[in-house]
Amino acid sequence: MSISRNPTTGIGSHRVQPISSLDDYDRASPAVDCVLITIVDGSLAVLIHRRSQNPFAGKWALPGVFVHFGESYERAAERALRDKGGVARRCYKEQLEARNEPNRDPRGWVVTVAYLLLARQELIIENIRSAGDAELAFIESVSGHDLTDAARIVVGSSRTAVELAFDHDELVRSGIRRLQAQIWYTALSLEFVPEAFTLRDLQAVFEAILGVTLNRASFRRHVLEVVRLVEPTGETQTNVGHRPAALYKRGSEFGSAQS
Amino acid sequence: MSISRNPTTGIGSHRVQPISSLDDYDRASPAVDCVLITIVDGSLAVLIHRRSQNPFAGKWALPGVFVHFGESYERAAERALRDKGGVARRCYKEQLEARNEPNRDPRGWVVTVAYLLLARQELIIENIRSAGDAELAFIESVSGHDLTDAARIVVGSSRTAVELAFDHDELVRSGIRRLQAQIWYTALSLEFVPEAFTLRDLQAVFEAILGVTLNRASFRRHVLEVVRLVEPTGETQTNVGHRPAALYKRGSEFGSAQS
DNA sequence: ATAATAGTGTCTTTAAGACACTATTTT
DNA sequence: AAAATAGTGTCTTAAAGACACTATTAT
């Protein structure tokens, strides 16, 4: 044990770190927040949970946790989903942005990294029931606005609009923006459909994310011929009351899923 | 002053933060690293500096500093450029990615956020001379590879290849990737040219960033008609030994610069 | 006039948008 | 046969790529 080198500090020490010259610098508590996006009945939804503690106790927020020393951001994000969202499944992850929030938490200096996570509804629903304070909230576009510059988050069957704690509303929009920017030339859309799916299913995913309706013929051309995102499995639907659609799977050029 | 609530900790306190329940969590030292990209003689360059302290003392690295409490990441990035790179000018900034590096620094837990910064060479050169340990290093593509999956960083007139400290080589590639992804539909390219410039100048910027040669006619069409990135000033070059080119400025739809 | 580069016109190619037409299944 | 949706063909439009042609300046 040793004394901090900074004379203004008084006694200094830290739980995990070795005593070192880093004591000359301010320390912060690293945290992660999760924007888990899914698609429910053709519209976007995000996983939120009701905070039990201050700040913002009782308010809806994105699931988030403080990062432990030695734990990667990704692992921390998974833990946040498990502990705060009741979701135990692995899913696609990508970093959104880091924020430095000296005033976020009255308890001290918190620096957060937000993650975008994608999963199909079925993988979330089966888990979420166990966590009473978690919910899949719909993301509705405010009329006349794009989803990415104004979005309403509505909960329950009454669909009452809520405001998320911190700047989490903005993080959700930022996640949607990222999704929209990447969807045409990546395989992100496949995170929302099962192994085998129809092109109609996939088009519905694109339409939910982009908030527009797409031309059927050119959508087919795009995913089949232009980017070759998908290829036929050879199977078709059965018993659907009309001509059955062919089933498709991830194109071989697009590796497989998750991260 | 008070005792940490974590019984394993021993005496606990922190230099800046109020004593609070955050003491139950591990703390880290937030830092920023700067990828300042510019274009020198038609090829990409990045600002690096020689580290004076361990870890990696004597090695080349990106300019970086620890963030102070109450200081934004952006401000910290500017301070890094000033103190480690000798560059005092404001320039365009955007966040690249956050990394959690428990083993980066033997002194303790460091979490870093990398920033991409863009500026024209003239704004850097005039400042850099004062800082002896800073240098603009060229980024060369390794033959047969894309700039974004393998790049060599070369210093001095001898152009000897160097490896940067930490994972800074990868950060540089990540910055270039971001630049390439955004250049066609944003005004980022204008950060590398003066107020008034010729289309040839601007095309050279695109070519340096993308690492390809572009068709002159379709480049003109793109920046003038398709995205309307630029518009003519009405002026032309003088005394250039051949037909003088028209001068252009930032298109009115693209706001003005910096961030 | 020549060299050099700026600027334009035109043809081709790629891919999206619109829209109608054919195909296949269940009821 | 009717309903419903799947799948295809074709025309149009936007924009990039290729390339040649004209224009304007200094020497």
Side-chain angles (χ1 to χ4, degrees):
Chain A
M1 287 288 157
S2 98
I3 302 299
S4 165
R5 294 169 194 190
N6 189 314
T8 66
T9 317
I11 299 167
S13 144
H14 190 268
R15 184 152 85 89
V16 165
Q17 298 187 15
I19 303 310
S20 75
S21 58
L22 283 186
D23 289 339
D24 292 339
Y25 301 100
D26 308 321
R27 287 210 179 91
S29 305
V32 295
D33 287 323
C34 295
V35 183
L36 172 58
I37 301 279
T38 190
I39 295 178
V40 180
D41 301 334
S43 61
L44 287 176
V46 61
L47 180 69
I48 57 178
H49 100 290
R50 198 184 281 279
R51 288 181 65 83
S52 58
Q53 297 188 359
N54 270 317
F56 294 108
K59 259 206 139 181
W60 293 102
L62 295 175
V65 294
F66 287 106
V67 182
H68 298 152
F69 177 74
E71 180 185 50
S72 71
Y73 285 142
E74 274 83 2
R75 286 316 202 107
E78 286 166 16
R79 185 163 56 82
L81 286 191
R82 203 168 53 239
D83 295 356
K84 302 282 180 71
V87 177
R89 303 288 282 256
R90 259 287 188 51
C91 60
Y92 177 87
K93 269 188 266 338
E94 94 178 36
Q95 202 183 95
L96 269 182
E97 64 191 63
R99 282 158 311 135
N100 175 358
E101 304 171 302
N103 302 315
R104 162 186 162 144
D105 197 312
R107 296 172 293 175
W109 185 17
V110 176
V111 292
T112 64
V113 177
Y115 270 78
L116 172 65
L117 302 100
L118 310 177
R120 12 196 282 264
Q121 182 195 0
E122 303 87 86
L123 302 186
I124 300 170
I125 290 297
E126 63 185 49
N127 292 287
I128 203 178
R129 302 208 191 287
S130 54
D133 51 356
E135 181 162 340
L136 272 183
F138 284 101
I139 304 171
E140 291 181 347
S141 59
V142 177
S143 71
H145 286 270
D146 195 85
L147 268 175
T148 55
D149 60 56
R152 229 176 12 184
I153 292 176
V154 301
V155 296
S157 47
S158 61
R159 295 207 157 209
T160 50
V162 297
E163 236 190 17
L164 301 185
F166 307 110
D167 58 349
H168 287 182
D169 284 297
E170 207 192 311
L171 277 185
V172 172
R173 288 198 295 277
S174 164
I176 298 171
R177 210 174 295 127
R178 176 75 65 88
L179 210 42
Q180 290 184 346
Q182 303 207 315
I183 194 153
W184 286 109
Y185 292 94
T186 64
L188 291 192
S189 56
L190 300 182
E191 303 300 327
F192 299 107
V193 292
E195 285 272 296
F197 50 87
T198 66
L199 289 187
R200 163 170 284 261
D201 293 338
L202 190 61
Q203 183 168 343
V205 167
F206 274 70
E207 291 178 338
I209 290 169
L210 297 170
V212 296
T213 62
L214 298 173
N215 181 272
R216 196 157 48 94
S218 64
F219 178 76
R220 296 178 74 86
R221 267 187 315 229
H222 181 85
V223 297
L224 281 170
E225 295 159 36
V226 181
V227 301
R228 290 198 285 188
L229 174 62
V230 300
E231 50 195 38
T233 63
E235 311 277 289
T236 59
Q237 290 180 307
T238 48
N239 261 347
V240 280
H242 53 76
R243 174 175 177 178
L247 293 176
Y248 293 83
K249 60 182 178 188
R250 178 182 293 259
S252 51
E253 304 167 39
F254 279 91
S256 63
Q258 262 108 83
S259 174
Chain B
M1 289 288 159
S2 98
I3 300 301
S4 164
R5 292 168 195 188
N6 188 313
T8 67
T9 315
I11 299 165
S13 144
H14 189 269
R15 183 151 87 90
V16 165
Q17 300 185 11
I19 302 308
S20 75
S21 58
L22 283 187
D23 289 339
D24 292 340
Y25 300 100
D26 306 321
R27 289 209 177 92
S29 306
V32 296
D33 287 323
C34 295
V35 182
L36 172 60
I37 301 278
T38 191
I39 296 178
V40 179
D41 300 333
S43 61
L44 287 174
V46 61
L47 181 69
I48 57 179
H49 99 288
R50 198 185 282 280
R51 289 180 64 83
S52 58
Q53 298 189 358
N54 270 318
F56 293 106
K59 259 207 138 181
W60 292 101
L62 296 175
V65 294
F66 286 105
V67 183
H68 297 153
F69 178 73
E71 180 185 49
S72 70
Y73 285 142
E74 274 84 2
R75 286 317 202 107
E78 287 165 14
R79 185 163 54 82
L81 285 191
R82 203 170 51 240
D83 296 356
K84 303 283 181 71
V87 177
R89 303 290 280 256
R90 261 286 189 53
C91 60
Y92 177 87
K93 267 188 267 338
E94 95 179 35
Q95 203 183 95
L96 267 181
E97 65 191 63
R99 283 158 311 135
N100 175 356
E101 304 169 304
N103 302 313
R104 163 185 162 143
D105 198 313
R107 295 173 294 176
W109 186 14
V110 177
V111 293
T112 63
V113 178
Y115 271 78
L116 173 66
L117 302 100
L118 310 177
R120 13 196 281 264
Q121 182 195 359
E122 303 86 86
L123 302 186
I124 301 170
I125 291 297
E126 63 185 48
N127 290 287
I128 203 178
R129 303 209 192 286
S130 54
D133 50 358
E135 179 160 344
L136 273 182
F138 284 101
I139 304 172
E140 292 183 345
S141 59
V142 177
S143 71
H145 285 270
D146 194 85
L147 268 175
T148 57
D149 59 59
R152 230 177 10 187
I153 293 175
V154 301
V155 297
S157 47
S158 60
R159 295 207 158 209
T160 49
V162 296
E163 238 191 16
L164 301 184
F166 308 109
D167 58 349
H168 287 182
D169 283 297
E170 208 192 312
L171 277 185
V172 172
R173 288 197 296 276
S174 166
I176 298 172
R177 211 176 293 126
R178 175 77 63 89
L179 209 43
Q180 291 184 347
Q182 302 206 316
I183 195 155
W184 286 109
Y185 292 94
T186 65
L188 291 193
S189 55
L190 301 183
E191 304 299 328
F192 298 107
V193 292
E195 287 271 299
F197 50 87
T198 66
L199 290 188
R200 163 171 283 261
D201 292 338
L202 190 60
Q203 182 168 345
V205 168
F206 273 69
E207 291 178 337
I209 290 169
L210 297 170
V212 295
T213 62
L214 299 173
N215 180 273
R216 195 159 49 97
S218 63
F219 178 77
R220 295 179 74 89
R221 267 188 316 231
H222 181 86
V223 297
L224 282 169
E225 295 160 36
V226 180
V227 301
R228 291 199 282 189
L229 173 62
V230 300
E231 49 194 37
T233 63
E235 311 277 289
T236 59
Q237 290 179 307
T238 48
N239 260 349
V240 281
H242 53 76
R243 175 176 175 176
L247 293 176
Y248 292 83
K249 60 182 178 188
R250 179 182 292 257
S252 51
E253 304 166 39
F254 279 91
S256 60
Q258 264 107 82
S259 175

